[in-house]
Every structure is written in C-alpha cells, then in structure tokens.
Amino acid sequence: MLVLDSGGLSRLSARTKTALSLIRAFKAQELWPPVVPTMVLVESLYGDPRRDANTHRFLKMCIIDASVSESTARRAAELRRRARSGSAVGALVVALAEPGGTVVTGDRADIEALAAHANRVAVAVV
C-alpha cells in the first residue's frame, strides 16, 4: 500500500516530468493507486479551485480514505510519543501505512522518525 502525506500529494500532483516518472515507477511496482487520508487534504489544499486544480485532478486517481479508527488514532499517538517528533497528521499517515506500506513524503526527517517505530513502514522521499 502506498500512502501519501501532504508533501507526497503536492509533489506527485504537480504536472512535472519527475512526478510522472515517479507515478510510472509506482505503477510498475503495483503500488498504484495511492491512498490519501482526508486529513492530508486539509494540509494540501488552498480552498481555491484555481490553485487546487492540479491536486483535484490528481485525486481522481487516488483512493481517498475518510476513516480513522480509534485504534489507528491511538497507534498514531504512540508513534508520535516514541519518535518524539512529527505532526499529528504525519503520525496518522504512518499508522495507516502499517503494516508493510510505504509513505510518500517530502518531509524525510519527521516521517522516518515515525516510521522507525512503525511495523514495516517504508519511506519514499519525493
């Protein structure tokens, strides 16, 4: 499973050659489509249809996950405590990727710190 945080969403939704090559690579690895938790939308969108157009277009290719269970929220809190860093949204993204998923991020330090305490979560920095 591929889970995007706000940095991953922003970079992959940009209409660049780099983003396109990353998408192709994820598809080749059968990691596509990615999961985007709804809380990531709050961090990624501007609330302006013109500024958000590329992101909205990209989101049509994604699985939007609106569910965060109590157990996932508690697990995210545990990851934040153990890592001693990371945002609440970052911790939820890592917890949702457990077990065995990959988080696509632009924030290497915080996500890797959280993933170090997670159950087999890989980090792909874009």
Side-chain angles (χ1 to χ4, degrees):
M1 173 180 17
L2 193 66
V3 183
L4 306 184
D5 76 354
S6 59
L9 176 59
S10 297
R11 284 175 178 83
L12 290 179
S13 66
R15 300 180 82 177
T16 64
K17 290 179 183 179
T18 302
L20 183 58
S21 66
L22 286 167
I23 291 168
R24 285 182 180 146
F26 290 135
K27 285 181 178 181
Q29 296 172 39
E30 298 183 4
L31 293 172
W32 204 259
V35 173
V36 179
T38 53
M39 75 282 291
V40 167
L41 300 179
V42 176
E43 287 188 330
S44 301
L45 297 172
Y46 295 97
D48 177 349
R50 288 175 296 180
R51 288 185 77 184
D52 294 334
N54 285 342
T55 304
H56 287 305
R57 190 176 303 114
F58 177 79
L59 287 168
K60 291 177 184 177
M61 298 187 294
C62 301
I63 298 167
I64 308 300
D65 185 353
S67 66
V68 174
S69 67
E70 180 181 349
S71 62
T72 300
R74 288 177 184 273
R75 177 64 176 147
E78 178 186 1
L79 292 172
R80 271 184 92 192
R81 178 185 57 79
R82 293 178 76 195
R84 296 183 180 177
S85 69
S87 69
V89 172
L92 282 166
V93 167
V94 173
L96 286 167
E98 286 185 313
T102 300
V103 174
V104 179
T105 184
D107 183 3
R108 171 178 291 211
D110 282 344
I111 299 299
E112 283 184 345
L114 292 160
H117 301 283
N119 183 6
R120 299 181 354 256
V121 173
V123 178
V125 180
V126 292

